[in-house]
Amino acid sequence: MSMVPLPGLREMIESISRERNLPKTAVQAALKEALLKGYERYRRTQRMDSGSFDEEYFANFEVELDVEEEGFRVLATKTIVESVDNPDHQIALQEVQEVAAEAQTGDTVVLDVTPDQGEFGRMAAIQTKQVLSQKLRDQQRKLVQEEFQDLESTVLQARVLRFERQSVIMAVSSGFGQPEVEAELPKREQLPNDNYRANATFKVYLKRVSEGSHRGPQLLVSRADAGLVVYLFANEVPEIEDEVVRVVAIAREANPPSRSVGPRTKIAVDTLERDVDPVGACIGARGSRIQVVVNELRGEKIDVIRWSPDPSTYIANALSPARVDEVRLVDPEGRQAHVLVAEDQLSLAIGKEGQNVRLAARLTNWKIDIKDSAKYDYDAEDQKIAAILAQKQLAAQEDFSDEEEDDFDSETEALESEVAAAEALETESPLPDETEAEYSDEEELDEEFEEEDEFEEDEEFEEDEEFEEGDLD
């Protein structure tokens, strides 16, 4: 069997495997596919008069790679026929019987169709090189996806490599001793207080592992995701790791709409143990635990509050550090509340550009209105709330009546269509002959029964007359 020599094949496979962090088997598989594509290009140039080839035309060809002898050969599986129409897929029976006399029509044989090295052509070699690069990239992406798929929503250690537009390209690793993989940190996922410079290290949150082939890094990481804060607290607070203290909710604003407002986070914690203070456990002695988290987030403000099943208490805690006088749940179904605070606590409760109340609303999932307790008019507010609730109730009733009318109309239309279909069926399908015959037979039987009844009545009447006459005699 002929073979196209590839000097330095073994060294090339080892080099690619080492540089791209790919197993040798994956490199060999990519090289086989690339050589097959190059052979397809060679055959297309050889048969320009045959027109276009479909995708399955070269399905019977395969490349055999010989690493020991450093070369490759092309094999084709052909069907034995009496008369050859397509030499790429078929071979004549007479030609095969010269080698194997027992061959029959319909059998398949594997033939060596390796071209000479000079016939392979420059364009086929270029095609092979391009396909090889693409296949190697695809193999890398597949391995990265398999390696990091289970690490989504976890925190990794990252190192800054370079900058592309507004994104930071970082190197991350799935574990100790594993090769580094590039990840992208977009502008929207960066922290305003971070100083990204070459080789600087950060903890990042792995948000997504992209699938398919597309340009750019396959991993998307974040410094602004709330999951990063939860991980940092779990790493510093043993009670969270042991599930004695649990994180119930978190609201984070890592990139505020205004530069004058810094990033801030509110986190609600709770515990089922009576002897454990969840807030104190997260803060630590003299703030030692929370200070580690703040330093990692470059000075971000963090409010740790106690979760409560009572909405009023929970809302009051969420507005920390402001002191709340009263929380009125004006619309529990609509989750709307009025929070009354003293005049000197208004700015603190609202926060700079509304950040404090905005985060409290996101944390509790309630719509919060901050009111001055000294100027709050209970009667006027109650009237407003009553009017709003009445409007909502009226709108709900109108929607319900509209739905009932729609249901009634649809049921009426369905009933009318059924009646019309039944009438059309009666008019279009007359009774069959057998049924008519049965009806006619029944009518004849009725007439016979009537005649017999009349005959019996006549006999009884005659007998009565004879009886009467005998009595008279």
Side-chain angles (χ1 to χ4, degrees):
M1 298 177 71
S2 61
M3 184 175 64
V4 177
L6 292 175
L9 176 61
R10 180 184 298 178
E11 184 180 352
M12 181 188 69
I13 292 175
E14 293 178 355
S15 176
I16 294 175
S17 175
R18 185 171 54 255
E19 292 175 359
R20 295 178 177 262
N21 298 317
L22 292 173
K24 295 180 181 180
T25 55
V27 178
Q28 292 181 14
L31 184 57
K32 287 181 180 180
E33 293 186 42
L35 290 171
L36 184 59
K37 288 294 182 181
Y39 179 77
E40 291 181 12
R41 180 61 180 267
Y42 159 74
R43 290 297 297 158
R44 291 176 192 273
T45 56
Q46 292 291 319
R47 301 189 61 184
M48 295 292 293
D49 55 338
S50 300
S52 59
F53 298 90
D54 57 13
E55 295 181 357
E56 301 295 330
Y57 186 84
F58 292 98
N60 62 315
F61 291 86
E62 63 175 338
V63 171
E64 185 180 86
L65 204 62
D66 194 336
V67 181
E68 297 297 331
E69 298 184 7
E70 296 189 340
F72 76 96
R73 58 180 61 91
V74 182
L75 305 178
T77 304
K78 297 185 180 182
T79 305
I80 301 175
V81 295
E82 292 287 348
S83 178
V84 177
D85 296 328
N86 188 339
D88 287 334
H89 296 168
Q90 300 171 345
I91 187 172
L93 176 63
Q94 182 179 359
E95 184 180 352
V96 178
Q97 286 180 342
E98 293 177 357
V99 180
E102 68 276 6
Q104 296 180 0
T105 305
D107 294 344
T108 58
V109 294
V110 179
L111 301 176
D112 184 5
V113 294
T114 307
D116 295 334
Q117 186 174 6
E119 296 178 356
F120 201 67
R122 185 175 63 87
M123 296 303 297
I126 294 175
Q127 178 81 5
T128 302
K129 184 177 179 181
Q130 293 175 348
V131 174
L132 177 60
S133 299
Q134 180 62 38
K135 294 300 179 182
L136 290 175
R137 284 196 296 268
D138 292 343
Q139 289 285 352
Q140 279 185 300
R141 301 186 74 85
K142 183 179 179 181
L143 290 177
V144 168
Q145 180 181 346
E146 293 175 355
E147 182 180 0
F148 286 90
Q149 193 73 50
D150 297 334
L151 296 178
E152 280 191 3
S153 302
T154 60
V155 175
L156 305 173
Q157 191 76 18
R159 179 172 57 88
V160 177
L161 293 178
R162 64 183 185 275
F163 304 92
E164 291 183 0
R165 298 182 179 89
Q166 293 184 335
S167 298
V168 181
I169 306 302
M170 314 184 83
V172 297
S173 174
S174 61
F176 180 76
Q178 296 295 325
E180 291 184 335
V181 179
E182 289 188 355
E184 181 184 3
L185 180 66
K187 177 66 176 176
R188 64 180 181 277
E189 301 295 343
Q190 300 173 15
L191 293 182
N193 296 334
D194 280 343
N195 183 17
Y196 300 102
R197 63 184 187 278
N199 294 322
T201 58
F202 297 90
K203 286 185 173 66
V204 295
Y205 184 82
L206 181 58
K207 292 192 69 173
R208 186 176 70 248
V209 180
S210 302
E211 299 180 4
S213 58
H214 67 278
R215 300 186 63 182
Q218 200 172 351
L219 306 180
L220 180 67
V221 295
S222 172
R223 289 273 295 167
D225 195 277
L228 178 61
V229 182
V230 176
Y231 168 83
L232 293 175
F233 269 105
N235 195 37
E236 292 296 328
V237 182
E239 290 83 355
I240 296 179
E241 189 71 23
D242 297 338
E243 298 183 355
V244 176
V245 175
R246 63 189 181 104
V247 178
V248 181
I250 184 171
R252 190 182 186 196
E253 194 172 74
N255 291 296
S258 175
R259 291 186 177 182
S260 61
V261 182
R264 190 169 185 175
T265 298
K266 285 183 179 290
I267 182 170
V269 293
D270 189 30
T271 183
L272 298 177
E273 301 290 337
R274 291 184 177 181
D275 300 333
V276 177
D277 178 16
V279 177
C282 294
I283 295 175
R286 298 182 180 180
S288 57
R289 293 177 176 178
I290 197 172
Q291 192 60 43
V292 176
V293 179
V294 171
N295 292 339
E296 177 62 35
L297 300 177
R298 305 301 188 267
E300 180 173 330
K301 292 182 179 180
I302 300 176
D303 297 331
V304 182
I305 64 134
R306 178 70 183 267
W307 178 84
S308 174
D310 179 34
S312 300
T313 306
Y314 188 26
I315 293 172
N317 294 341
L319 289 170
S320 173
R323 295 191 305 272
V324 176
D325 294 339
E326 183 184 356
V327 177
R328 298 192 66 201
L329 305 179
V330 295
D331 186 7
E333 293 183 359
R335 301 184 70 85
Q336 183 176 359
H338 286 178
V339 178
L340 309 183
V341 297
E343 184 178 359
D344 59 344
Q345 296 292 312
L346 275 175
S347 60
L348 193 61
I350 297 173
K352 198 171 185 179
E353 297 188 6
Q355 186 185 53
N356 191 55
V357 68
R358 186 165 59 245
L359 287 174
R362 287 169 52 187
L363 185 71
T364 59
N365 199 22
W366 278 74
K367 183 180 178 181
I368 301 174
D369 293 333
I370 306 297
K371 304 287 185 179
D372 187 354
S373 56
K375 301 178 181 179
Y376 189 78
D377 190 346
Y378 285 86
D379 295 336
E381 294 294 340
D382 290 341
Q383 292 178 1
K384 291 179 183 179
I385 295 167
I388 294 173
L389 293 177
Q391 291 179 358
K392 289 184 179 180
Q393 188 175 4
L394 182 61
Q397 291 178 356
E398 290 178 354
D399 294 339
F400 181 73
S401 60
D402 293 339
E403 291 178 359
E404 285 187 339
E405 290 179 1
D406 295 338
D407 295 340
F408 178 75
D409 294 339
S410 61
E411 291 177 359
T412 304
E413 292 177 359
L415 184 60
E416 291 177 353
S417 61
E418 290 178 0
V419 172
E423 293 177 352
L425 185 62
E426 290 178 358
T427 56
E428 292 178 1
S429 54
L431 291 171
D433 297 338
E434 295 180 357
T435 309
E436 292 180 355
E438 290 177 359
Y439 277 110
S440 61
D441 293 340
E442 290 178 359
E443 290 177 356
E444 292 177 359
L445 290 174
D446 293 341
E447 291 177 357
E448 291 178 2
F449 284 129
E450 290 177 359
E451 291 176 358
E452 290 179 359
D453 293 341
E454 291 176 358
F455 180 74
E456 291 177 356
E457 290 177 357
D458 292 341
E459 288 182 349
E460 292 177 357
F461 182 71
E462 290 177 357
E463 291 177 356
D464 292 340
E465 287 183 347
E466 291 176 358
F467 179 75
E468 291 176 356
E469 291 177 356
D471 291 342
L472 291 173
D473 294 336

